[in-house]
Amino acid sequence: MDNSQIYERYQRQMILKGFGESGQQKLLHAKVLVIGAGGLGCPVLQYIAAAGVGTIGIVDDDIVALNNLHRQVLYSVSDIGLLKAETAARTLRKVNPEIKIIPYNERLTTENAFRIIENFEIVIDGTDNFSSRYMINDACVLLNKPLIYGAVSQFEGQVSVFNVPEHGSKAAVNYRDLFPDPPKENEVANCAEAGVLGVLPGIIGTMMANETIKLITGIGESLANQLLTYDALTNKVYQINLSARKETRSLIPRNQAEFLETDYVSVCSSASTESEIDPDTFDSLIEKGGVDVIDIREAHELPEADEFLNIKIPLAQLEDNSDLIKSDTVIAFCQTGKRSLQATRILSGIFGDKKKIYSLRGGILEWKKQKQ
Amino acid sequence: MAINIILFGQLSEIAGSSLSLKNVTDTDNLVKELHNLYPALSDAKYVIAINKKMVTENTAITENSTVALLPPFSGG
């Protein structure tokens, strides 16, 4: 793209005081990785692509579902069932064909994290679970990459910028300064369980895009060493100054080898994973017969599971209705496999070792993804 | 002396979004008192900020201070 085309496309931000041609050049040369192309990732991607961030990586192994569309604004009904990273990349290329967009249709793991993150200068965390958030934080600390953080719950959101020393100070805080250890799985509800107002990740994601653009161009004051919280119901913003904790460094793996050894998934899960089964095992158990499959989701939750016989008992009523379960083998499932793990603990409490109790790993969403 | 406490996210479902406590002198003291009043808070993780500044160890709380309790969110 020659200079006149650059000016033509980006003139409304290039004429801003303090931004100018040099700000635009910084954006065009920047390499930003967005992990999670969901409620937060979509607005982040939309705005950084439109603003002209030159290279954008998108990591997500999930597929588009109908219940994503109320907040994941890059996707349409015709995208349901398609990979998010690839679909987002295709949409963004239409918005801005001049920039480079690299989709990674994989889940970020300790094995691929370094290989992927190393190619970028700034990382944006738009994931929806604690194990990914702690893994991303630790990788960014080890690789010394600025991390733009955002998270939402129900009507509230948080934004911060980690691993960037605040102006005039040497110390940079990271996520573990704020919350040293991951909460156990049941301590904090996620969006699937607690719900989220669709516009909220839109607001928080747009703030994350703003922090990214400010960090690259050097304009304004960043949220480095600050945590901003926003309440969509009251419009109240509350901002606190963060401080480093002495013990934080000892909680983070010392190097890549230690990072590879860290099991972020079970650190965030209080349950033993032995009772989890994958979709193939699930199918073969059903085929063998003598199995009660329990849908422990609330009555209104979608997608419906009508491909196999199941008994509907919402998690909260499980204890009172355990007499509905007759077979010696029981498989609980929910949306993503989290609440069904809770269900296995409740059922183990009731039946002890009289029954074999399993949870469908990845929930009905993963089952449908693999089987359809 | 009274201090104001504001709670964010799901902590507010346990103890309300704001409350006032008397005879609290430092953060250890405050945490103990809150966990007595609202036992469910002792299972929750949160960061404490006094007058919008995060604290990492036991810190004195002066009169009319506002103490914020902020939990982690995982949603995206």
Side-chain angles (χ1 to χ4, degrees):
Chain A
M1 205 169 26
D2 66 30
N3 280 347
S4 69
Q5 280 175 301
I6 291 175
Y7 185 74
E8 187 63 29
R9 177 180 275 272
Y10 302 111
Q11 52 164 299
R12 298 293 160 84
Q13 64 192 29
M14 287 175 74
I15 57 175
L16 286 169
K17 199 177 158 196
F19 195 99
E21 199 187 322
S22 75
Q24 194 57 52
Q25 285 301 335
K26 284 176 189 162
L27 286 179
L28 289 168
H29 287 105
K31 296 175 177 168
V32 175
L33 180 68
V34 179
I35 306 173
L40 292 170
C42 283
V44 168
L45 285 164
Q46 240 170 351
Y47 277 98
I48 63 172
V53 169
T55 306
I56 299 174
I58 310 170
V59 184
D60 205 314
D61 72 331
D62 200 7
I63 54 170
V64 179
L66 182 60
N67 69 5
N68 296 151
L69 301 188
H70 93 295
R71 65 190 189 286
Q72 302 185 15
V73 292
L74 283 175
Y75 311 122
S76 321
V77 173
S78 58
D79 298 326
I80 289 170
L82 301 179
L83 284 160
K84 286 184 183 177
E86 220 159 82
T87 308
R90 200 172 47 242
T91 307
L92 295 170
R93 283 182 192 123
K94 284 185 210 155
V95 176
N96 196 343
E98 317 289 343
I99 59 173
K100 191 172 162 193
I101 297 168
I102 311 162
Y104 296 88
N105 300 316
E106 50 194 310
R107 191 176 181 80
L108 198 79
T109 63
T110 49
E111 274 98 58
N112 63 17
F114 273 58
R115 168 173 60 79
I116 296 174
I117 292 173
E118 264 168 349
N119 302 319
F120 297 88
E121 295 153 351
I122 294 176
V123 177
I124 301 182
D125 180 358
T127 60
D128 61 359
N129 62 86
F130 285 115
S131 56
S132 297
R133 291 187 179 281
Y134 280 85
M135 178 172 62
I136 292 165
N137 179 72
D138 292 358
C140 287
V141 170
L142 289 172
L143 289 165
N144 197 23
K145 305 281 182 187
L147 172 61
I148 313 286
Y149 159 85
V152 293
S153 177
Q154 296 183 322
F155 301 103
E156 287 173 70
Q158 298 173 337
V159 193
S160 188
V161 175
F162 297 133
N163 298 327
V164 175
E166 198 184 9
H167 191 66
S169 97
K170 276 184 211 149
V173 299
N174 66 67
Y175 190 49
R176 285 197 192 258
D177 287 305
L178 199 50
F179 303 112
D181 301 302
K184 296 288 181 205
E185 180 186 358
N186 308 320
E187 273 176 39
V188 181
N190 65 21
C191 289
E193 291 146 0
V196 63
L197 188 68
V199 69
L200 177 68
I203 294 167
I204 299 297
T206 310
M207 285 183 173
M208 292 164 77
N210 185 34
E211 289 306 306
T212 309
I213 291 165
K214 278 156 57 187
L215 197 62
I216 295 167
T217 57
I219 59 169
E221 289 169 29
S222 97
L223 282 174
N225 288 14
Q226 307 269 324
L227 177 75
L228 181 148
T229 72
Y230 171 79
D231 184 335
L233 290 181
T234 59
N235 281 312
K236 275 186 188 150
V237 171
Y238 200 79
Q239 201 169 320
I240 65 167
N241 274 306
L242 303 180
S243 1
R245 285 178 206 266
K246 284 190 227 95
E247 70 271 25
T248 299
R249 201 58 192 84
S250 67
L251 300 170
I252 296 170
R254 272 175 301 180
N255 49 44
Q256 189 178 0
E258 272 192 27
F259 177 79
L260 274 168
E261 298 284 300
T262 307
D263 181 357
Y264 286 92
V265 177
S266 64
V267 160
C268 299
S269 149
S270 51
S272 125
T273 49
E274 281 167 33
S275 60
E276 287 191 287
I277 52 169
D278 60 24
D280 287 339
T281 317
F282 179 78
D283 282 4
S284 59
L285 281 173
I286 290 179
E287 209 168 298
K288 261 170 63 187
V291 178
D292 279 342
V293 179
I294 320 289
D295 183 350
I296 56 103
R297 299 175 299 166
E298 300 297 319
H300 57 83
E301 285 185 72
L302 294 171
E304 279 175 36
D306 44 17
E307 295 89 344
F308 46 82
L309 276 179
N310 61 73
I311 311 169
K312 296 190 190 335
I313 315 175
L315 186 60
Q317 291 146 36
L318 198 54
E319 259 184 296
D320 296 339
N321 291 290
S322 62
D323 55 327
L324 295 173
I325 303 169
K326 310 278 188 212
S327 300
D328 286 338
T329 304
V330 188
I331 313 171
F333 75 89
C334 62
Q335 210 76 325
T336 61
K338 280 188 173 178
R339 283 173 293 166
S340 54
L341 264 180
Q342 264 176 276
T344 60
R345 285 192 286 274
I346 294 170
L347 293 171
S348 301
I350 298 168
F351 298 116
D353 47 16
K354 277 184 249 151
K355 290 186 195 295
K356 285 198 178 114
I357 297 154
Y358 299 104
S359 161
L360 174 61
R361 183 187 297 134
I364 189 68
L365 293 178
E366 182 62 29
W367 187 87
K368 290 210 185 233
K369 193 165 135 187
Q370 291 194 18
K371 301 294 168 185
Q372 288 174 352
Chain B
M1 76 168 214
I3 58 158
N4 311 307
I5 300 150
I6 49 177
L7 301 98
F8 289 82
Q10 292 182 325
L11 301 182
S12 66
E13 290 171 16
I14 300 173
S17 56
S18 71
L19 61 134
S20 175
L21 280 183
K22 279 180 182 160
N23 303 322
V24 169
T25 52
D26 60 36
T27 46
D28 280 358
N29 212 257
L30 169 76
V31 167
K32 212 174 144 195
E33 181 70 20
L34 280 172
H35 291 186
N36 273 337
L37 288 167
Y38 307 98
L41 278 183
S42 46
D43 295 328
K45 284 204 159 60
Y46 52 84
V47 63
I48 299 175
I50 303 176
N51 297 328
K52 300 193 171 179
K53 207 171 175 329
M54 172 184 154
V55 298
T56 57
E57 45 201 35
N58 190 23
T59 307
I61 307 174
T62 52
E63 190 162 4
N64 293 325
S65 290
T66 297
V67 180
L69 272 46
L70 304 109
F73 297 158
S74 70

